[in-house]
Structure formats: C-alpha cells, structure tokens
Amino acid sequence: MKKFPWITLSLALLALGICAYPPLTSLLELDRTALRQGQLWRLITGHLTHFDLDHLTWDLCGLLLLGTMADRENRRAMAITLLTSALTISVAVTVFQPQFATYRGLSGLDSALFGLVVTQLGLTGYRERHVFSITIASLALSAFVLKCGFELTTTETLFTAATTYAPVPLAHLVGAATGVVVAMLIPKER
C-alpha cells in the first residue's frame, strides 16, 4: 500500500488557509524590509502565500501532482527537498532579484519537487538499464530548462496569464536544481 501524502496535503491546506485569510499574506510573504528587521520565518512562509486565486490554483495543481508522487516515493528526500529549496530559493531571490520587494508562491517548491521526481526516475532507469525512463527524465528536464529560458527572455509566464505578479524563473531554476541534487544524494527508500 502506498503512503498517504500527508506532507503534500498539509502544505496545500496551509496555502489555502492563508489565501482564505488575507491578513496572513502580508505577515508571511517574503518581504525584504521585514527580513532586514529580523523576520526570518518569511524565508520559509513566503512560499505559502500567493498574489491571487489564479496564482494559487496553478501552484496547488503542481504541488498536488508532484508532491503526491514525491511523498509516496521517498518522503525523506521530499522533506529535505522542500526545506532546502525553500531556503535556497528565498536567499537567491533576495540576493539576485533586487527588483522584487516581495516574493510569493509555491512554484519554486513545485519546481524542486519536479527536479526530485524526474531525477529519481532517471536514476532508477539508469540502475535498471531502462532506456525509456532515462529518455523521459532527460526530455522532461530539458523541457523545464527551455520553459525557464522562455520566461527569462520574455518576462512572461508560459502556462498562465500573470497579471498581478511577475514570473521569477530564477526561483524555478534554483528549486529544480535543489531537487536534482537531493535526488542524487538521498537514496531511495526501501
């Protein structure tokens, strides 16, 4: 029997709850000024906040799909991926994207889960000499990099019409890279 994806569902419910009670958003979003005042929790909680319902919907779809896969396959690697990517994404956005006063969204964490799941598929394919799995994993990672390249060059999102926020492809790239690294370092659970 597969494990119940409690980490995924807990994060989804938290994000929904924060969206349902808007005062929480300004208290939890990644905000440069608040960080300078010592509100370090925002490095983690900013990922649970969103700019609008469309933003939340897309992020939750990614979380529910990829999170459930990761949660069932290797919960330990998933937890490490989420925590590590939350911190690395927040630091990267804060340091390398000074144009953003605030940052919100699960998409960077979704990207980290994507990197984790796809790399696990590729590694399993390599161990089992399953060329199809290796090919699918390679194509998926390549398509992801192309998507981020499109967003970097056009400053538009590929899958949604972002009217209330700007895309942050750096968050997606850092997240995916974190997922890839964790997949390579944390062995699959038995």
Side-chain angles (χ1 to χ4, degrees), residues 52-134:
D52 59 30
L53 193 55
D54 185 56
H55 186 209
L56 174 66
T57 301
W58 278 99
D59 283 358
L60 282 180
C61 287
L63 175 68
L64 291 171
L65 174 68
L66 295 163
T68 298
M69 293 168 68
D71 216 342
R72 290 180 167 184
E73 186 68 25
N74 189 338
R75 183 168 286 153
R76 181 170 161 249
M78 178 198 188
I80 292 169
T81 297
L82 288 171
L83 183 59
T84 305
S85 63
L87 292 171
T88 56
I89 291 165
S90 293
V91 168
V93 169
T94 302
V95 171
F96 298 111
Q97 305 264 245
Q99 70 272 28
F100 295 116
T102 61
Y103 172 82
R104 300 178 189 174
L106 282 166
S107 62
L109 300 185
D110 290 347
S111 299
L113 293 173
F114 177 82
L116 176 70
V117 168
V118 169
T119 303
Q120 287 174 335
L121 173 67
L123 291 172
T124 299
Y126 178 76
R127 279 192 301 274
E128 297 175 3
R129 303 206 185 334
H130 194 254
V131 175
F132 183 73
S133 295
I134 297 168

Side-chain angles (χ1 to χ4, degrees), residues 113 154-155 158 182:
L113 293 173
T154 65
T155 66
L158 186 59
V182 171

Side-chain angles (χ1 to χ4, degrees), residues 2-65:
K2 293 285 188 180
K3 295 182 243 176
F4 183 78
W6 65 267
I7 294 174
T8 300
L9 294 178
S10 298
L11 286 175
L13 289 172
L14 278 170
L16 281 168
I18 291 166
C19 184
Y21 188 67
L24 283 176
T25 298
S26 60
L27 179 67
L28 300 175
E29 72 185 353
L30 180 59
D31 179 295
R32 289 176 181 282
T33 304
L35 278 178
R36 284 192 292 274
Q37 295 170 350
Q39 298 177 18
L40 299 180
W41 66 82
R42 293 172 182 269
L43 293 168
I44 302 289
T45 60
H47 300 282
L48 298 170
T49 63
H50 291 83
F51 288 101
D52 59 30
L53 193 55
D54 185 56
H55 186 209
L56 174 66
T57 301
W58 278 99
D59 283 358
L60 282 180
C61 287
L63 175 68
L64 291 171
L65 174 68

